[in-house]
Amino acid sequence: MLNGTVKSLNTEVEGVHILNLTSKRGTITDSYGRFSIGVISKDTLLFSSVQLKHKYLVVTEDILSSNHLRIDLEELINELKEVVVRPYNLTGILDKDISALRLSKNVDASSLGLPNADVRVLSQYERKLFEADNGKFVNLYGHYFGLGISINLHKILNRASGRTKKLKKLVEQNEQTIKLEEFEYLFNDSLRLQELKIPFSKKEQFFVYCLADSNFVDLIEAEDHLGILELIKKKSKIFISENRRQPF
């Protein structure tokens, strides 16, 4: 774990994003600009914030051996020559202005009325599972000489060899991974580990613990960020209580 502090002369250093571009893991600074992130030699770190200039840092052996790393970020100043606000009949009263505005619909496949616009795109494993287990085991069909029978050997062989079962498990694991990634993104953007008192080493375990709750999964799929935040707070207290006997 690499520990460090982000510093800036005149700008707030709380909530600065630190992303390990190599491992695709990230964290954010606390109210004092402190952070902790897992790294190995030659990893590339990106420090970013809306009000600060981005900074890239390649992890060297000297950085790994240091007890504490200090990162100085420069303030980002955006200067605009001219700003034109349209429409011109805005009053400044949000409720009134929003109701008066006529916003166009988002241009997407659904709004354009394209065929199959609402059909969900299957993942790689879902497509393989469909190909391996599609259709009935036995099909009856009629022809000139009477009734015929067709046996789906492809489906039978996939079931017998265990390939269908393996693909179903891969689909389930893939769905779990996607939900976990969505949760990690929302978690890191909306709440700091320090506020929940969840140790960084227990982060993955806490994610899996929350995903075991079907209500939590529903909130993620509905993108109910406020509901997710409230449930995370409740879950963190129970998680800490249940793991109290186990040293963090």
Side-chain angles (χ1 to χ4, degrees), residues 105-114 117-118:
K105 294 183 178 179
N106 293 332
V107 179
D108 53 21
S110 181
S111 64
L112 293 174
L114 298 179
D118 298 325

Side-chain angles (χ1 to χ4, degrees), residues 125-220:
Y125 293 124
E126 285 175 324
R127 291 196 301 271
K128 288 184 178 181
L129 177 60
F130 179 79
E131 293 169 358
D133 204 47
N134 184 35
K136 299 179 180 180
F137 287 105
V138 178
N139 294 304
L140 301 178
Y141 61 93
H143 57 81
Y144 184 79
F145 297 101
L147 189 64
I149 298 176
S150 173
I151 299 176
N152 192 340
L153 291 176
H154 181 68
K155 181 170 183 173
I156 294 172
L157 290 173
N158 282 321
R159 289 283 184 99
S161 64
R163 183 169 183 263
T164 300
K165 184 177 181 180
K166 182 180 178 180
L167 286 171
K168 286 182 178 179
K169 188 174 182 180
L170 288 172
V171 169
E172 183 179 347
Q173 290 175 347
N174 186 57
E175 291 176 351
Q176 189 79 355
T177 301
I178 292 172
K179 290 174 182 176
L180 182 62
E181 290 174 351
E182 291 175 355
F183 180 26
E184 285 189 277
Y185 173 77
L186 293 172
F187 185 90
N188 289 329
D189 270 4
S190 62
L191 201 64
R192 290 183 297 275
L193 288 168
Q194 292 86 345
E195 293 181 14
L196 298 177
K197 296 182 173 59
I198 302 292
F200 191 87
S201 60
K202 292 285 183 178
K203 186 178 75 167
E204 300 291 342
Q205 185 179 339
F206 179 60
F207 287 167
V208 175
Y209 173 77
C210 290
L211 286 171
D213 189 327
S214 59
N215 293 328
F216 193 81
V217 175
D218 292 340
L219 290 172
I220 291 179

Side-chain angles (χ1 to χ4, degrees), residues 1-3 39 59-69:
M1 296 303 299
L2 177 64
N3 299 311
V39 297
V59 178
T60 63
E61 293 296 335
D62 290 338
I63 291 175
L64 286 175
S65 61
S66 64
N67 293 327
H68 198 86
L69 183 66

Side-chain angles (χ1 to χ4, degrees), residues 84-92 97-98 100-103:
V84 179
V85 179
R86 292 185 177 137
Y88 302 103
N89 58 345
L90 296 178
T91 65
D97 289 338
I98 289 174
L101 288 175
R102 294 183 179 180
L103 301 176

